Amino acid sequence: TPLSDATLGRLPGTVRRPRYDRARLSPGIVHIGLGNFHRAHQAWYLHRLMDDGAAQDWAILGAGVRPADAAQRARLRGQDCLTTLIELAPSGTSAEVTGPMIDFLPVEDGNAALIARMAEPDIRIVSLTVTEGGYYRDASGGFDADDPDIRHDAANPQTPRTAFGAMVAALRRRRDTGAGPFTGLCCDNLQGNGAVLRRTVVSLARLSDPDLADWIDATCSFPNAMVDCIVPATGPKEIALAQGFGIDDAAPVTHERFRQWVMEDEFCAGRPEWERVGVTFTDDVHAYEMMKLRLLNAGHQLLANAGELLSVETVAGCMEHPGLRHFFQTVEMQEIAPEVASVPEMSPQDYVALIVRRFSNAAIVDTTRRVAFDGSSRHPGFLHPTIRERLASGRGIDGLALAEALWARMCTGLREDGSEIVPNDPRWDHLVAAAQEARTRPAAWLESTGLYGDLAHDRRFAEAFQAWLSQLHRDGTSPILERFAART
Ligand code: NAD
Protein backbone atom coordinates (compact mmCIF):
# COMPACT_ATOMS: atom_id res chain seq x y z
CA THR A 1 0.00 0.00 0.00
CA PRO A 2 1.29 3.45 -0.88
CA LEU A 3 2.56 5.67 1.90
CA SER A 4 -0.15 8.04 3.22
CA ASP A 5 -1.52 9.52 6.45
CA ALA A 6 -4.06 6.70 6.48
CA THR A 7 -1.43 3.93 6.26
CA LEU A 8 1.06 5.41 8.75
CA GLY A 9 -0.37 3.32 11.56
CA ARG A 10 0.26 0.11 9.63
CA LEU A 11 4.00 0.63 9.15
CA PRO A 12 6.34 -1.86 10.83
CA GLY A 13 7.26 -0.95 14.40
CA THR A 14 10.92 -0.45 13.40
CA VAL A 15 10.01 2.62 11.32
CA ARG A 16 9.87 5.86 13.26
CA ARG A 17 6.96 8.14 12.26
CA PRO A 18 5.71 11.66 13.13
CA ARG A 19 4.67 12.10 16.75
CA TYR A 20 2.69 15.27 15.96
CA ASP A 21 -0.81 15.52 14.54
CA ARG A 22 -0.23 16.62 10.94
CA ALA A 23 -3.86 17.76 10.60
CA ARG A 24 -3.16 20.49 13.18
CA LEU A 25 -0.09 21.94 11.44
CA SER A 26 -0.35 25.32 9.73
CA PRO A 27 2.12 26.74 7.19
CA GLY A 28 4.93 29.20 7.88
CA ILE A 29 7.53 28.33 5.22
CA VAL A 30 7.44 28.08 1.43
CA HIS A 31 10.39 26.05 0.12
CA ILE A 32 11.35 26.36 -3.56
CA GLY A 33 13.36 23.46 -5.07
CA LEU A 34 11.93 20.29 -3.60
CA GLY A 35 14.79 17.96 -4.42
CA ASN A 36 16.35 15.47 -2.06
CA PHE A 37 18.61 17.70 -0.03
CA HIS A 38 15.87 19.87 1.47
CA ARG A 39 13.93 16.85 2.68
CA ALA A 40 16.96 15.24 4.35
CA HIS A 41 18.26 18.46 5.88
CA GLN A 42 16.07 21.54 6.56
CA ALA A 43 12.79 19.61 6.66
CA TRP A 44 14.30 17.03 9.04
CA TYR A 45 15.30 19.71 11.58
CA LEU A 46 11.75 21.05 11.51
CA HIS A 47 10.33 17.54 11.81
CA ARG A 48 12.35 16.90 14.97
CA LEU A 49 11.17 20.18 16.44
CA MET A 50 7.55 19.25 15.65
CA ASP A 51 8.11 15.85 17.28
CA ASP A 52 9.01 17.88 20.35
CA GLY A 53 5.63 19.66 20.28
CA ALA A 54 7.07 22.92 18.93
CA ALA A 55 6.82 24.81 15.60
CA GLN A 56 3.35 23.50 14.72
CA ASP A 57 2.70 26.79 12.88
CA TRP A 58 5.83 26.51 10.73
CA ALA A 59 4.85 23.69 8.34
CA ILE A 60 6.34 23.70 4.83
CA LEU A 61 4.56 24.27 1.53
CA GLY A 62 6.67 22.79 -1.28
CA ALA A 63 7.13 24.68 -4.55
CA GLY A 64 8.96 24.49 -7.86
CA VAL A 65 9.35 26.91 -10.76
CA ARG A 66 10.52 24.45 -13.38
CA PRO A 67 8.18 22.27 -15.47
CA ALA A 68 10.08 19.17 -14.29
CA ASP A 69 8.99 19.89 -10.70
CA ALA A 70 5.40 18.95 -11.62
CA ALA A 71 6.33 15.26 -11.53
CA GLN A 72 7.78 15.62 -8.03
CA ARG A 73 4.61 17.45 -6.96
CA ALA A 74 2.46 14.57 -8.24
CA ARG A 75 4.63 11.98 -6.48
CA LEU A 76 4.59 13.80 -3.15
CA ARG A 77 0.91 14.80 -3.19
CA GLY A 78 0.13 11.18 -4.03
CA GLN A 79 1.47 10.29 -0.58
CA ASP A 80 0.16 13.26 1.47
CA CYS A 81 3.59 14.96 1.12
CA LEU A 82 5.20 12.39 3.45
CA THR A 83 8.86 11.50 2.90
CA THR A 84 10.77 8.42 4.04
CA LEU A 85 14.30 9.25 5.14
CA ILE A 86 16.71 6.34 5.09
CA GLU A 87 19.87 6.82 7.11
CA LEU A 88 22.92 5.00 5.74
CA ALA A 89 25.22 4.67 8.73
CA PRO A 90 28.21 2.30 8.86
CA SER A 91 26.49 0.61 11.82
CA GLY A 92 23.31 -0.09 9.83
CA THR A 93 20.39 1.35 7.92
CA SER A 94 17.28 2.82 9.53
CA ALA A 95 14.11 4.44 8.20
CA GLU A 96 11.90 7.26 9.42
CA VAL A 97 8.78 8.81 7.89
CA THR A 98 8.74 12.61 8.12
CA GLY A 99 5.81 14.98 7.66
CA PRO A 100 6.63 18.68 8.16
CA MET A 101 5.57 19.45 4.58
CA ILE A 102 1.78 19.64 4.23
CA ASP A 103 1.21 20.64 0.60
CA PHE A 104 2.98 21.30 -2.70
CA LEU A 105 1.86 24.40 -4.60
CA PRO A 106 0.90 24.14 -8.29
CA VAL A 107 3.81 24.24 -10.75
CA GLU A 108 2.65 26.53 -13.55
CA ASP A 109 3.64 29.18 -16.09
CA GLY A 110 3.61 32.61 -14.49
CA ASN A 111 3.73 31.13 -10.96
CA ALA A 112 0.42 32.75 -9.90
CA ALA A 113 -0.36 30.29 -7.08
CA LEU A 114 3.18 30.47 -5.69
CA ILE A 115 3.12 34.29 -5.70
CA ALA A 116 -0.31 34.42 -4.07
CA ARG A 117 0.73 32.05 -1.28
CA MET A 118 4.04 33.82 -0.58
CA ALA A 119 2.07 37.09 -0.33
CA GLU A 120 0.00 35.80 2.63
CA PRO A 121 1.15 37.03 6.05
CA ASP A 122 1.36 33.51 7.57
CA ILE A 123 4.36 32.77 5.33
CA ARG A 124 7.32 34.20 7.22
CA ILE A 125 10.24 32.35 5.58
CA VAL A 126 10.86 31.52 1.91
CA SER A 127 13.72 29.05 1.66
CA LEU A 128 15.47 27.74 -1.43
CA THR A 129 17.62 24.90 -2.77
CA VAL A 130 17.86 25.61 -6.49
CA THR A 131 21.53 24.50 -6.96
CA GLU A 132 24.71 26.58 -6.83
CA GLY A 133 24.29 27.55 -10.49
CA GLY A 134 20.70 28.76 -9.99
CA TYR A 135 21.38 32.32 -8.78
CA TYR A 136 21.99 34.12 -12.09
CA ARG A 137 25.57 35.09 -11.40
CA ASP A 138 27.95 36.08 -14.20
CA ALA A 139 31.52 34.83 -14.64
CA SER A 140 32.86 37.27 -12.05
CA GLY A 141 30.17 36.33 -9.50
CA GLY A 142 28.00 39.46 -10.00
CA PHE A 143 24.31 39.57 -10.93
CA ASP A 144 23.73 38.53 -14.55
CA ALA A 145 21.13 41.03 -15.78
CA ASP A 146 21.59 39.75 -19.36
CA ASP A 147 20.32 36.24 -18.73
CA PRO A 148 17.16 35.64 -20.82
CA ASP A 149 15.20 34.50 -17.73
CA ILE A 150 16.13 37.69 -15.88
CA ARG A 151 15.25 39.84 -18.89
CA HIS A 152 11.90 38.05 -19.05
CA ASP A 153 11.13 38.63 -15.37
CA ALA A 154 12.20 42.28 -15.55
CA ALA A 155 9.81 42.83 -18.47
CA ASN A 156 6.97 40.71 -17.00
CA PRO A 157 7.07 41.22 -13.23
CA GLN A 158 3.49 39.91 -12.78
CA THR A 159 4.21 36.59 -14.53
CA PRO A 160 7.82 35.74 -13.65
CA ARG A 161 9.52 32.48 -14.50
CA THR A 162 12.31 32.48 -11.88
CA ALA A 163 12.01 31.83 -8.15
CA PHE A 164 13.43 35.31 -7.56
CA GLY A 165 10.88 36.96 -9.83
CA ALA A 166 8.13 35.17 -7.89
CA MET A 167 9.62 36.38 -4.59
CA VAL A 168 9.74 39.97 -5.89
CA ALA A 169 6.10 39.79 -7.06
CA ALA A 170 4.98 38.41 -3.68
CA LEU A 171 6.97 41.05 -1.79
CA ARG A 172 5.34 43.80 -3.86
CA ARG A 173 1.93 42.59 -2.68
CA ARG A 174 3.10 42.26 0.90
CA ARG A 175 4.38 45.81 0.88
CA ASP A 176 1.12 47.08 -0.62
CA THR A 177 -1.18 45.09 1.71
CA GLY A 178 0.89 45.71 4.83
CA ALA A 179 1.71 42.00 5.28
CA GLY A 180 5.33 43.05 5.66
CA PRO A 181 8.61 41.38 4.68
CA PHE A 182 9.64 37.70 4.89
CA THR A 183 13.06 36.12 5.37
CA GLY A 184 14.77 34.68 2.28
CA LEU A 185 16.77 31.65 3.44
CA CYS A 186 19.25 30.22 0.95
CA CYS A 187 20.26 26.60 1.63
CA ASP A 188 22.52 26.10 -1.40
CA ASN A 189 26.24 25.43 -1.09
CA LEU A 190 27.55 28.90 -1.84
CA GLN A 191 29.98 30.99 0.14
CA GLY A 192 28.05 33.92 1.61
CA ASN A 193 24.82 32.41 0.26
CA GLY A 194 22.50 34.90 2.02
CA ALA A 195 24.34 37.81 0.45
CA VAL A 196 24.10 36.09 -2.95
CA LEU A 197 20.32 35.59 -2.57
CA ARG A 198 19.86 39.19 -1.41
CA ARG A 199 21.76 40.52 -4.41
CA THR A 200 19.79 38.41 -6.89
CA VAL A 201 16.38 39.37 -5.46
CA VAL A 202 17.16 43.07 -4.95
CA SER A 203 18.92 43.45 -8.33
CA LEU A 204 16.02 41.80 -10.15
CA ALA A 205 13.47 44.02 -8.36
CA ARG A 206 15.51 47.09 -9.29
CA LEU A 207 15.11 46.34 -13.01
CA SER A 208 11.34 46.89 -12.81
CA ASP A 209 10.70 48.86 -9.59
CA PRO A 210 13.57 50.69 -7.82
CA ASP A 211 11.37 51.73 -4.87
CA LEU A 212 10.40 48.12 -4.26
CA ALA A 213 14.07 47.11 -4.48
CA ASP A 214 14.93 49.62 -1.75
CA TRP A 215 12.04 48.39 0.42
CA ILE A 216 13.16 44.75 0.06
CA ASP A 217 16.77 45.63 0.80
CA ALA A 218 15.80 47.62 3.88
CA THR A 219 13.18 45.29 5.41
CA CYS A 220 13.76 41.66 4.35
CA SER A 221 16.50 39.54 5.88
CA PHE A 222 18.70 37.06 4.05
CA PRO A 223 20.81 35.21 6.63
CA ASN A 224 24.02 33.53 5.52
CA ALA A 225 23.87 29.81 6.19
CA MET A 226 26.25 26.87 5.89
CA VAL A 227 24.59 23.52 5.17
CA ASP A 228 26.18 20.07 5.25
CA CYS A 229 24.88 16.50 4.82
CA ILE A 230 25.72 14.06 2.02
CA VAL A 231 22.44 13.20 0.25
CA PRO A 232 22.66 10.98 -2.85
CA ALA A 233 20.11 11.07 -5.68
CA THR A 234 17.17 8.62 -5.63
CA GLY A 235 16.88 5.74 -8.12
CA PRO A 236 15.42 2.23 -8.17
CA LYS A 237 17.89 1.10 -5.49
CA GLU A 238 16.63 3.69 -2.99
CA ILE A 239 12.97 2.89 -3.74
CA ALA A 240 13.74 -0.79 -3.15
CA LEU A 241 15.48 0.09 0.13
CA ALA A 242 12.28 1.76 1.34
CA GLN A 243 10.27 -1.29 0.26
CA GLY A 244 12.64 -3.39 2.35
CA PHE A 245 11.29 -1.44 5.34
CA GLY A 246 7.73 -2.16 4.24
CA ILE A 247 7.22 1.38 2.88
CA ASP A 248 5.85 2.04 -0.60
CA ASP A 249 7.38 5.52 -1.13
CA ALA A 250 7.63 6.97 -4.67
CA ALA A 251 10.42 9.38 -3.69
CA PRO A 252 12.39 8.25 -0.62
CA VAL A 253 15.63 10.00 0.34
CA THR A 254 18.86 8.38 1.57
CA HIS A 255 21.43 10.34 3.58
CA GLU A 256 24.39 10.03 5.91
CA ARG A 257 23.95 10.40 9.67
CA PHE A 258 25.98 13.61 9.93
CA ARG A 259 24.17 16.92 9.52
CA GLN A 260 25.28 20.49 10.10
CA TRP A 261 23.39 23.80 9.71
CA VAL A 262 25.04 27.01 10.82
CA MET A 263 23.36 30.35 10.23
CA GLU A 264 23.09 33.98 11.16
CA ASP A 265 20.17 34.77 13.46
CA GLU A 266 18.59 37.36 11.18
CA PHE A 267 14.92 36.61 10.66
CA CYS A 268 12.77 39.69 10.08
CA ALA A 269 9.49 37.79 10.63
CA GLY A 270 10.47 35.21 13.25
CA ARG A 271 11.71 31.62 12.95
CA PRO A 272 11.30 28.13 14.45
CA GLU A 273 13.42 27.41 17.54
CA TRP A 274 15.93 25.45 15.51
CA GLU A 275 18.64 25.80 18.16
CA ARG A 276 16.69 23.19 20.15
CA VAL A 277 17.46 20.52 17.54
CA GLY A 278 21.13 21.12 16.82
CA VAL A 279 21.26 24.18 14.54
CA THR A 280 24.09 26.60 15.35
CA PHE A 281 23.27 30.33 15.29
CA THR A 282 26.31 32.59 15.03
CA ASP A 283 27.55 35.91 13.64
CA ASP A 284 30.55 34.07 12.20
CA VAL A 285 29.20 31.66 9.57
CA HIS A 286 32.32 32.52 7.59
CA ALA A 287 34.60 30.56 9.98
CA TYR A 288 32.47 27.41 9.59
CA GLU A 289 32.40 27.88 5.84
CA MET A 290 36.18 28.20 5.68
CA MET A 291 36.59 24.99 7.68
CA LYS A 292 34.25 23.14 5.33
CA LEU A 293 35.63 24.52 2.06
CA ARG A 294 39.33 24.23 2.94
CA LEU A 295 39.14 20.77 4.53
CA LEU A 296 36.05 18.92 3.21
CA ASN A 297 35.68 20.33 -0.29
CA ALA A 298 39.46 20.52 -0.83
CA GLY A 299 39.70 16.99 0.60
CA HIS A 300 37.33 15.75 -2.08
CA GLN A 301 39.82 17.03 -4.69
CA LEU A 302 42.75 15.33 -2.93
CA LEU A 303 40.93 12.02 -3.26
CA ALA A 304 39.05 12.29 -6.52
CA ASN A 305 41.80 13.28 -8.96
CA ALA A 306 44.00 10.37 -7.90
CA GLY A 307 40.92 8.16 -7.60
CA GLU A 308 40.00 8.81 -11.25
CA LEU A 309 43.56 7.95 -12.38
CA LEU A 310 43.41 4.71 -10.40
CA SER A 311 39.85 3.83 -11.62
CA VAL A 312 38.48 3.83 -8.07
CA GLU A 313 34.75 4.47 -8.37
CA THR A 314 33.68 5.92 -5.02
CA VAL A 315 34.96 8.24 -2.32
CA ALA A 316 34.79 5.38 0.20
CA GLY A 317 36.83 3.27 -2.27
CA CYS A 318 39.48 6.01 -2.37
CA MET A 319 39.65 5.91 1.43
CA GLU A 320 40.33 2.16 1.25
CA HIS A 321 43.37 2.63 -1.00
CA PRO A 322 46.28 2.71 1.52
CA GLY A 323 48.51 5.14 -0.40
CA LEU A 324 45.65 7.48 -1.18
CA ARG A 325 44.28 7.41 2.35
CA HIS A 326 47.73 8.25 3.72
CA PHE A 327 48.15 11.08 1.20
CA PHE A 328 44.73 12.46 2.13
CA GLN A 329 45.32 12.37 5.88
CA THR A 330 48.85 13.75 5.67
CA VAL A 331 47.98 16.72 3.48
CA GLU A 332 44.84 17.49 5.49
CA MET A 333 46.59 17.29 8.88
CA GLN A 334 50.03 18.67 8.10
CA GLU A 335 49.44 21.21 5.35
CA ILE A 336 45.80 22.36 5.45
CA ALA A 337 44.57 22.07 9.07
CA PRO A 338 47.33 24.39 10.43
CA GLU A 339 46.00 27.16 8.15
CA VAL A 340 42.36 26.79 9.27
CA ALA A 341 40.93 28.53 12.35
CA SER A 342 38.96 26.59 14.98
CA VAL A 343 35.23 27.15 15.47
CA PRO A 344 33.76 27.05 19.01
CA GLU A 345 32.74 23.38 18.81
CA MET A 346 35.70 22.01 16.91
CA SER A 347 39.37 22.24 16.03
CA PRO A 348 40.44 21.70 12.42
CA GLN A 349 42.17 18.47 13.51
CA ASP A 350 38.92 17.09 14.94
CA TYR A 351 37.16 18.17 11.76
CA VAL A 352 39.65 16.13 9.70
CA ALA A 353 38.99 13.08 11.89
CA LEU A 354 35.26 13.61 11.30
CA ILE A 355 35.57 13.79 7.50
CA VAL A 356 37.83 10.74 7.48
CA ARG A 357 34.93 8.86 9.11
CA ARG A 358 32.31 10.39 6.80
CA PHE A 359 34.29 9.75 3.60
CA SER A 360 35.02 6.16 4.69
CA ASN A 361 31.30 5.27 4.95
CA ALA A 362 30.90 2.63 2.23
CA ALA A 363 27.10 2.71 2.56
CA ILE A 364 27.12 6.14 0.86
CA VAL A 365 27.77 5.73 -2.85
CA ASP A 366 29.34 9.11 -3.69
CA THR A 367 31.12 8.73 -7.01
CA THR A 368 34.67 9.83 -7.71
CA ARG A 369 33.41 11.28 -10.97
CA ARG A 370 30.88 13.57 -9.21
CA VAL A 371 33.49 14.78 -6.78
CA ALA A 372 36.17 15.29 -9.48
CA PHE A 373 33.83 17.62 -11.38
CA ASP A 374 34.63 21.31 -11.96
CA GLY A 375 38.28 21.25 -10.93
CA SER A 376 38.77 24.59 -12.68
CA SER A 377 36.63 26.30 -10.06
CA ARG A 378 37.32 23.98 -7.15
CA HIS A 379 41.13 23.91 -7.18
CA PRO A 380 41.41 27.73 -7.30
CA GLY A 381 38.62 28.07 -4.71
CA PHE A 382 39.48 25.35 -2.21
CA LEU A 383 43.23 24.56 -2.55
CA HIS A 384 45.15 27.52 -4.01
CA PRO A 385 44.40 29.91 -1.11
CA THR A 386 46.04 27.45 1.32
CA ILE A 387 49.09 27.08 -0.94
CA ARG A 388 49.46 30.89 -1.07
CA GLU A 389 49.16 31.26 2.70
CA ARG A 390 51.75 28.58 3.37
CA LEU A 391 54.20 30.00 0.86
CA ALA A 392 53.80 33.45 2.37
CA SER A 393 54.79 32.14 5.79
CA GLY A 394 57.57 29.90 4.49
CA ARG A 395 55.86 26.57 5.23
CA GLY A 396 55.99 23.35 3.21
CA ILE A 397 53.65 22.73 0.27
CA ASP A 398 54.96 19.35 -0.94
CA GLY A 399 51.65 17.49 -0.61
CA LEU A 400 49.58 20.31 -2.04
CA ALA A 401 51.95 20.53 -5.02
CA LEU A 402 51.40 16.79 -5.55
CA ALA A 403 47.62 17.36 -5.42
CA GLU A 404 47.94 19.90 -8.24
CA ALA A 405 50.15 17.50 -10.22
CA LEU A 406 47.57 14.72 -9.82
CA TRP A 407 44.91 17.05 -11.22
CA ALA A 408 47.19 17.98 -14.15
CA ARG A 409 47.79 14.28 -14.78
CA MET A 410 44.03 13.53 -14.61
CA CYS A 411 43.29 16.22 -17.17
CA THR A 412 45.21 14.33 -19.86
CA GLY A 413 41.82 12.59 -20.14
CA LEU A 414 43.08 9.01 -19.72
CA ARG A 415 43.16 6.84 -16.62
CA GLU A 416 46.18 4.65 -15.95
CA ASP A 417 44.31 1.61 -17.28
CA GLY A 418 43.94 3.46 -20.60
CA SER A 419 40.21 4.15 -20.28
CA GLU A 420 38.89 7.58 -21.14
CA ILE A 421 37.71 10.12 -18.56
CA VAL A 422 34.43 11.61 -19.75
CA PRO A 423 34.72 15.44 -19.77
CA ASN A 424 34.12 16.70 -16.24
CA ASP A 425 34.77 20.42 -16.39
CA PRO A 426 33.24 23.37 -18.28
CA ARG A 427 36.81 24.16 -19.43
CA TRP A 428 37.69 20.54 -20.20
CA ASP A 429 39.10 20.97 -23.73
CA HIS A 430 41.33 23.79 -22.59
CA LEU A 431 42.53 21.76 -19.59
CA VAL A 432 43.24 18.68 -21.73
CA ALA A 433 45.36 20.74 -24.14
CA ALA A 434 47.39 22.19 -21.26
CA ALA A 435 47.74 18.77 -19.61
CA GLN A 436 49.00 17.22 -22.85
CA GLU A 437 51.59 19.93 -23.31
CA ALA A 438 52.65 19.50 -19.69
CA ARG A 439 53.59 15.85 -20.31
CA THR A 440 56.90 17.00 -21.75
CA ARG A 441 57.02 20.51 -20.25
CA PRO A 442 55.32 20.50 -16.80
CA ALA A 443 55.45 24.30 -16.46
CA ALA A 444 52.96 24.52 -19.35
CA TRP A 445 50.13 23.49 -17.00
CA LEU A 446 50.77 26.39 -14.64
CA GLU A 447 51.17 28.89 -17.48
CA SER A 448 48.46 27.98 -19.95
CA THR A 449 45.54 26.97 -17.75
CA GLY A 450 45.43 30.59 -16.55
CA LEU A 451 44.20 29.38 -13.13
CA TYR A 452 47.29 29.88 -10.97
CA GLY A 453 47.90 33.65 -11.07
CA ASP A 454 50.97 34.56 -8.99
CA LEU A 455 51.45 30.90 -8.01
CA ALA A 456 52.56 30.03 -11.56
CA HIS A 457 55.67 32.14 -10.98
CA ASP A 458 56.43 31.13 -7.43
CA ARG A 459 59.69 29.24 -7.66
CA ARG A 460 59.12 26.93 -4.67
CA PHE A 461 55.65 25.91 -5.79
CA ALA A 462 56.53 25.59 -9.49
CA GLU A 463 59.59 23.43 -8.79
CA ALA A 464 57.72 21.08 -6.45
CA PHE A 465 54.81 20.82 -8.87
CA GLN A 466 57.01 20.15 -11.89
CA ALA A 467 59.02 17.48 -10.10
CA TRP A 468 55.84 15.62 -9.03
CA LEU A 469 54.21 15.84 -12.46
CA SER A 470 57.31 14.47 -14.25
CA GLN A 471 57.47 11.59 -11.78
CA LEU A 472 53.73 10.87 -12.15
CA HIS A 473 54.07 10.60 -15.92
CA ARG A 474 57.20 8.45 -15.62
CA ASP A 475 56.31 6.12 -12.72
CA GLY A 476 52.50 6.19 -12.25
CA THR A 477 50.22 7.21 -9.41
CA SER A 478 50.55 4.37 -6.87
CA PRO A 479 54.39 4.43 -6.76
CA ILE A 480 54.32 8.19 -6.34
CA LEU A 481 51.82 7.99 -3.47
CA GLU A 482 54.17 5.45 -1.86
CA ARG A 483 57.13 7.76 -2.38
CA PHE A 484 55.15 10.58 -0.77
CA ALA A 485 54.34 8.32 2.20
CA ALA A 486 58.01 7.43 2.60
CA ARG A 487 58.90 11.13 2.80
CA THR A 488 56.30 12.09 5.38
P1 NAD B 1 18.14 17.70 -6.65
O1 NAD B 1 18.64 17.55 -8.02
O2 NAD B 1 17.50 16.56 -5.94
O3 NAD B 1 17.10 18.92 -6.57
C1 NAD B 1 17.36 20.17 -7.09
C2 NAD B 1 16.06 20.97 -7.09
O4 NAD B 1 16.34 22.29 -7.56
C3 NAD B 1 14.97 20.42 -8.00
O5 NAD B 1 13.74 20.62 -7.38
C4 NAD B 1 15.10 21.30 -9.25
O6 NAD B 1 13.91 21.41 -9.96
C5 NAD B 1 15.49 22.60 -8.67
N1 NAD B 1 16.29 23.47 -9.54
C6 NAD B 1 17.44 23.14 -10.17
N2 NAD B 1 17.89 24.21 -10.85
C7 NAD B 1 16.99 25.21 -10.65
C8 NAD B 1 16.89 26.55 -11.08
N3 NAD B 1 17.83 27.08 -11.88
N4 NAD B 1 15.84 27.28 -10.67
C9 NAD B 1 14.89 26.76 -9.87
N5 NAD B 1 14.93 25.49 -9.42
C10 NAD B 1 15.97 24.73 -9.82
O7 NAD B 1 19.40 18.23 -5.83
P2 NAD B 1 19.61 18.22 -4.25
O8 NAD B 1 20.38 17.01 -3.87
O9 NAD B 1 18.33 18.51 -3.61
O10 NAD B 1 20.62 19.44 -4.08
C11 NAD B 1 20.19 20.77 -4.29
C12 NAD B 1 21.22 21.72 -3.73
O11 NAD B 1 21.35 21.52 -2.34
C13 NAD B 1 22.63 21.52 -4.26
O12 NAD B 1 22.83 22.14 -5.49
C14 NAD B 1 23.45 22.15 -3.16
O13 NAD B 1 23.54 23.56 -3.34
C15 NAD B 1 22.66 21.85 -1.92
N6 NAD B 1 23.32 20.75 -1.19
C16 NAD B 1 23.15 19.45 -1.58
C17 NAD B 1 23.84 18.43 -0.91
C18 NAD B 1 23.71 16.98 -1.31
O14 NAD B 1 24.49 16.16 -0.80
N7 NAD B 1 22.76 16.58 -2.16
C19 NAD B 1 24.69 18.76 0.15
C20 NAD B 1 24.84 20.10 0.53
C21 NAD B 1 24.14 21.07 -0.16
Side-chain angles (χ1 to χ4, degrees), residues 127-376:
S127 57
L128 302 101
T129 45
V130 293
T131 78
E132 291 89 334
Y135 289 82
Y136 298 98
R137 294 186 303 161
D138 60 22
S140 62
F143 176 64
D144 186 2
D146 279 337
D147 187 280
D149 290 344
I150 294 298
R151 293 225 295 258
H152 173 276
D153 284 8
N156 305 278
Q158 313 293 339
T159 53
R161 63 167 74 127
T162 72
F164 316 106
M167 290 168 76
V168 170
L171 285 164
R172 179 182 300 107
R173 282 194 214 170
R174 292 177 75 109
R175 181 194 59 179
D176 296 346
T177 60
F182 56 58
T183 298
L185 180 58
C186 177
C187 301
D188 278 301
N189 249 337
L190 292 161
Q191 213 170 342
N193 61 1
V196 171
L197 175 59
R198 173 187 291 273
R199 192 180 49 207
T200 302
V201 171
V202 173
S203 305
L204 175 57
R206 199 166 297 287
L207 295 176
S208 63
D209 185 342
D211 288 343
L212 178 63
D214 289 340
W215 181 81
I216 294 173
D217 204 21
T219 61
C220 291
S221 35
F222 299 91
N224 286 304
M226 187 272 251
V227 294
D228 193 9
C229 179
I230 298 171
V231 182
T234 294
K237 192 174 131 234
E238 286 70 26
I239 291 175
L241 256 179
Q243 279 162 350
F245 281 98
I247 311 169
D248 200 353
D249 187 328
V253 178
T254 59
H255 61 89
E256 66 171 336
R257 173 170 291 171
F258 179 83
R259 280 186 186 86
Q260 195 178 20
W261 197 4
V262 180
M263 58 185 142
E264 294 169 340
D265 196 358
E266 282 177 27
F267 290 78
C268 62
R271 62 163 174 84
E273 299 167 88
W274 277 311
E275 65 274 21
R276 284 174 54 178
V277 286
V279 172
T280 303
F281 285 96
T282 172
D283 291 336
D284 196 7
V285 173
H286 182 71
Y288 291 84
E289 261 173 4
M290 289 306 264
M291 188 174 266
K292 177 173 180 236
L293 300 176
R294 297 282 182 97
L295 289 165
L296 183 144
N297 298 97
H300 268 150
Q301 302 310 300
L302 296 178
L303 291 174
N305 299 153
E308 274 287 34
L309 288 169
L310 295 165
S311 307
V312 182
E313 281 187 18
T314 65
V315 172
C318 290
M319 292 299 284
E320 275 172 30
H321 184 286
L324 191 43
R325 184 186 176 92
H326 179 88
F327 169 67
F328 172 79
Q329 287 187 311
T330 305
V331 178
E332 288 270 334
M333 280 297 194
Q334 296 182 9
E335 298 191 19
I336 306 180
E339 310 303 319
V340 173
S342 289
V343 297
E345 298 84 357
M346 203 173 270
S347 70
Q349 288 74 20
D350 288 343
Y351 190 83
V352 173
L354 175 69
I355 59 176
V356 166
R357 287 199 298 280
R358 293 173 66 195
F359 287 180
S360 303
N361 180 359
I364 297 277
V365 181
D366 201 10
T367 61
T368 309
R369 172 169 171 74
R370 181 189 87 85
V371 172
F373 242 84
D374 277 357
S376 66

Side-chain angles (χ1 to χ4, degrees), residues 73-140:
R73 176 175 189 256
R75 276 191 292 269
L76 291 175
R77 290 189 98 222
Q79 54 191 46
D80 295 332
C81 296
L82 291 164
T83 285
T84 308
L85 294 184
I86 303 172
E87 182 178 278
L88 305 171
S91 56
T93 304
S94 59
E96 165 168 29
V97 175
T98 59
M101 178 175 146
I102 54 175
D103 202 359
F104 199 128
L105 301 170
V107 178
E108 55 189 6
D109 278 353
N111 293 297
L114 170 60
I115 294 167
R117 201 63 191 83
M118 290 193 294
E120 295 291 325
D122 60 343
I123 296 305
R124 287 149 285 161
I125 295 176
V126 172
S127 57
L128 302 101
T129 45
V130 293
T131 78
E132 291 89 334
Y135 289 82
Y136 298 98
R137 294 186 303 161
D138 60 22
S140 62

